[in-house]
Amino acid sequence: MTAALQQELTQLHSLVDGPPSSAPEISQRLAKLKVHFAQSGLLFASPDSDRHELALTRSVLEIGAFHALRSGNIKSYLSYDSLLLPFYDNAQLDASPNRPIILGLRLLYWLSEGDLTAFHTMLETLDPEQLQDVFIKLAVDLERWLMEGSYNKVYRARDRVPRPEFGFLLERLMGQVRSQIAATVETSYTSLPLSNAATLLFYKSGETSQLVEFATQRGWELSHSTSTFTFPLSPKPDIAIAAAKFSDPNASAQTLDILQGKGVKKGTPMTRMVGPSLRLAQQLEAVV
């Protein structure tokens, strides 16, 4: 069985290093191997299994995790990632050279999900030496840039991904970044030119269709005659009215009518805060 498994692993490596058209065959081979592993008890790193076969199984599962991300299949990636945990905890096996990659991907996944609690919980389990690994350090740097609001650095990180799998998760992370920026813009303006929106949201000149798709999902309306986005009404209540209702739940309609318009509404004074950011983003775009 060991020789046959080694041969399967060798063939998988050849396919992974081959053209993208090999993806369907890789998926088929991985699916068959998972069934075989489950039937033989290898899938769950049984302590009674042969040590060499466990190491080979771990290598196949690592390829499965990488392949899932290259294919953009998060559900499959999470399945492989969870299956790998008992293999990495198995003291009988030598350390896998791919473990830092898997750890870095998992950290980046938590970031792309916006789950900072899971991200930091995982960080606390790593030793100082692991934190210096290039795959793990990338995720740590990204988290710091997010906290600093240095979204331009997050965007530029796509140009230095250590492996293709990181690129997919970075795109997911940029989706989170764009959503945060868009939420701020929506409460700061009633409308925004398409070109300015593209700059703020880190869309290049040739990515207008992606920008429009993103905007449509958020309910933005595009005027083709003026190339301007109009934002939906803010769901947030006027602050003055909200404060009155909080202090006096039985406040009369007349009182609320008087307060109408005296709170902070969309576009004021946040425009003064976002305006400089927009100009800075335009300058950075010119540098790029």
Side-chain angles (χ1 to χ4, degrees):
M1 182 188 296
T2 302
L5 188 53
Q6 180 65 65
Q7 184 178 4
E8 283 286 349
L9 180 60
T10 301
Q11 291 174 344
L12 271 177
H13 277 298
S14 298
L15 289 170
V16 169
D17 294 335
S21 57
S22 302
E25 184 176 353
I26 295 174
S27 298
Q28 292 174 3
R29 286 177 176 269
L30 286 170
K32 291 180 180 178
L33 284 170
K34 282 182 72 175
V35 172
H36 167 69
F37 294 154
Q39 293 174 342
S40 61
L42 290 169
L43 191 61
F44 306 106
S46 171
D48 299 328
S49 300
D50 178 79
R51 177 182 174 185
H52 187 50
E53 289 183 350
L54 284 176
L56 292 173
T57 301
R58 181 182 64 188
S59 296
V60 170
L61 295 178
E62 288 171 340
I63 290 177
F66 298 150
H67 175 66
L69 288 177
R70 291 188 182 193
S71 303
N73 191 332
I74 284 293
K75 183 178 180 180
S76 178
Y77 158 70
L78 292 175
S79 173
Y80 280 108
D81 185 67
S82 63
L83 288 172
L84 281 167
L85 292 177
F87 287 87
Y88 291 144
D89 293 335
N90 192 323
Q92 301 179 47
L93 299 178
D94 294 332
S96 169
N98 287 323
R99 189 179 187 188
I101 304 173
I102 294 294
L103 291 175
L105 289 171
R106 194 183 309 156
L107 285 169
L108 185 49
Y109 166 75
W110 289 127
L111 278 185
S112 71
E113 286 288 297
D115 194 338
L116 294 181
T117 300
F119 178 87
H120 285 285
T121 299
M122 182 177 171
L123 270 187
E124 292 175 1
T125 66
L126 305 180
D127 57 48
E129 183 179 352
Q130 288 177 307
L131 293 175
Q132 296 306 312
D133 185 272
V134 62
F135 299 106
I136 296 173
K137 194 173 185 301
L138 173 61
V140 174
D141 287 342
L142 287 167
E143 191 268 345
R144 185 179 74 254
W145 295 333
L146 287 173
M147 295 301 99
E148 295 173 351
S150 302
Y151 296 145
N152 191 56
K153 291 182 179 179
V154 177
Y155 177 73
R156 288 173 178 270
R158 303 186 310 171
D159 298 329
R160 64 179 186 91
V161 290
R163 288 176 59 102
E165 301 84 10
F166 285 82
F168 172 72
L169 290 176
L170 263 172
E171 284 299 326
R172 292 185 87 240
L173 181 59
M174 277 305 302
Q176 290 279 351
V177 168
R178 287 176 174 131
S179 294
Q180 292 179 22
I181 295 173
T184 301
V185 170
E186 289 167 354
T187 57
S188 307
Y189 294 95
T190 55
S191 63
L192 193 69
L194 184 148
S195 58
N196 288 357
T199 300
L200 273 177
L201 297 171
F202 298 99
Y203 283 106
K204 297 179 181 178
S205 57
E207 298 176 336
T208 302
S209 60
Q210 292 95 316
L211 168 59
V212 173
E213 180 181 359
F214 174 85
T216 301
Q217 291 174 350
R218 297 191 66 89
W220 298 3
E221 295 183 3
L222 175 62
S223 170
H224 294 283
S225 60
T226 61
S227 294
T228 300
F229 286 116
T230 301
F231 307 130
L233 294 176
S234 174
K236 297 181 180 179
D238 183 281
I239 292 177
I241 295 177
K245 288 182 177 179
F246 179 80
S247 60
D248 183 7
N250 299 316
S252 66
Q254 182 179 5
T255 300
L256 298 179
D257 287 340
I258 294 174
L259 292 173
Q260 184 72 38
K262 293 188 177 181
V264 178
K265 288 194 170 184
K266 182 170 67 174
T268 308
M270 286 294 292
T271 302
R272 293 195 294 272
M273 297 174 63
V274 176
S277 298
L278 176 58
R279 289 191 290 274
L280 175 59
Q282 291 171 328
Q283 293 171 7
L284 291 172
E285 179 70 13
V287 173
V288 175

